[in-house]
Each structure stands twice: as C-alpha cells, then as structure tokens.
Amino acid sequence: MASTLKITLQEELSLEGVSYNGIRTKTISTIESVFKHIVSVTTAEGTILTFTDAGGDIATLDRDTVEYLRITNLDTTNFVVISLKDGSAAVAAVRLDAGRSLIIPTPNTTTEHPQFFVDDDAATHGTMLDIDTITADADTDTCKIEIFCAMNA
C-alpha cells in the first residue's frame, strides 16, 4: 500500500519591516519504500549511490522508482562536493556547504527517472543523461552526510 510523502520548503525573512516569507509544498502519493542512511565522506572521492534499471543491494537503487532524493551535509564546518555521473565521462558537480541540502530533481511521472544535462555551451542543452552514480568528496576533513530517497516500489 502506497504512502504519501509531504515535502515542505519554508522561508521566513523580514528585511526592513517587509516580510519575504514563502512556503511551497509538494506531495507524492506513490511512496512504497525509503532509503535513509548517514554516510561518512572522506577527502577521497567515493560512490555513495548507484542507480541501475533494476535495483540491487542496499546502495544500488532502481532509477525508475526514485520519486524524491535529498542529500544533506551534516557537518558544521566543511563542504562536500557531490558529483552526478553517467556511465561515460559526463559529470555535474555541486559544492554542498556545511548544513546545506541538495534536492535532486525527479520527473513528475513515475515512469521516468533522475537525469541531468552536461554541455560545454551554456546557451544550449544537450541530451539528458541518466544518473548512474552519485559520488561525494569532503573538502578538508571527513564529514557525515544524510541520504534520503523515497521510491514508488
């Protein structure tokens, strides 16, 4: 039986007496399983997640079932580089500072999976690439990150 995941992003800011508050909510009603894990990330790049067309072990997920994916840097000082990789040489990397989270966008349909663009020309978009692995590399010291992935199967 599927459960509903409710994601809420909330900003609260008052600047010179003017409120800039905002709240956005997304619900996903097809969640049947979850992967939540805290991982130690060293200063040597290491794979934290692998995606395949059919899930396998604990850190190998079926890419077609991913509905929501968040990575949070639990460190209070150091940043972590999160890299999204396909099966060839394409990489998209993000610096994830201490205490920050990265939400990997996933399609609104349950038949598609997380993908990304990599191109050397900012004015055009190449072909969307499947995410085959996600790696992490800590800046100057070992950090802990939290991975939360909700899936429809």
Side-chain angles (χ1 to χ4, degrees), residues 124-144:
T124 63
H125 298 294
T127 303
M128 297 211 48
L129 303 171
D130 289 337
I131 298 172
D132 289 329
T133 60
I134 299 178
T135 65
D137 184 6
D139 172 37
T140 56
D141 200 5
T142 299
C143 299
K144 296 223 184 267

Side-chain angles (χ1 to χ4, degrees), residues 61-81:
L61 306 177
D62 183 341
R63 68 173 49 106
D64 292 327
T65 67
V66 175
E67 295 282 349
Y68 177 80
L69 176 57
R70 174 186 50 81
I71 301 170
T72 300
N73 183 352
L74 300 177
D75 201 80
T76 58
T77 308
N78 299 297
F79 70 83
V80 175
V81 175

Side-chain angles (χ1 to χ4, degrees), residues 102-124:
L102 172 67
I103 298 173
I104 309 293
T106 58
N108 282 327
T109 61
T110 58
T111 58
E112 297 180 4
H113 43 269
Q115 296 180 318
F116 67 102
F117 287 107
V118 174
D119 205 310
D120 58 1
D121 181 357
T124 63

Side-chain angles (χ1 to χ4, degrees), residues 19-36:
S19 174
Y20 295 93
N21 297 346
I23 189 166
R24 300 290 177 259
T25 302
K26 171 81 174 172
T27 58
I28 303 170
S29 60
T30 56
I31 304 304
E32 294 195 14
S33 62
V34 67
F35 173 84
K36 185 175 181 180

Side-chain angles (χ1 to χ4, degrees), residues 83-99:
S83 298
L84 310 176
K85 299 182 176 188
D86 76 343
S88 64
V91 177
V94 176
R95 175 182 164 147
L96 191 58
D97 283 328

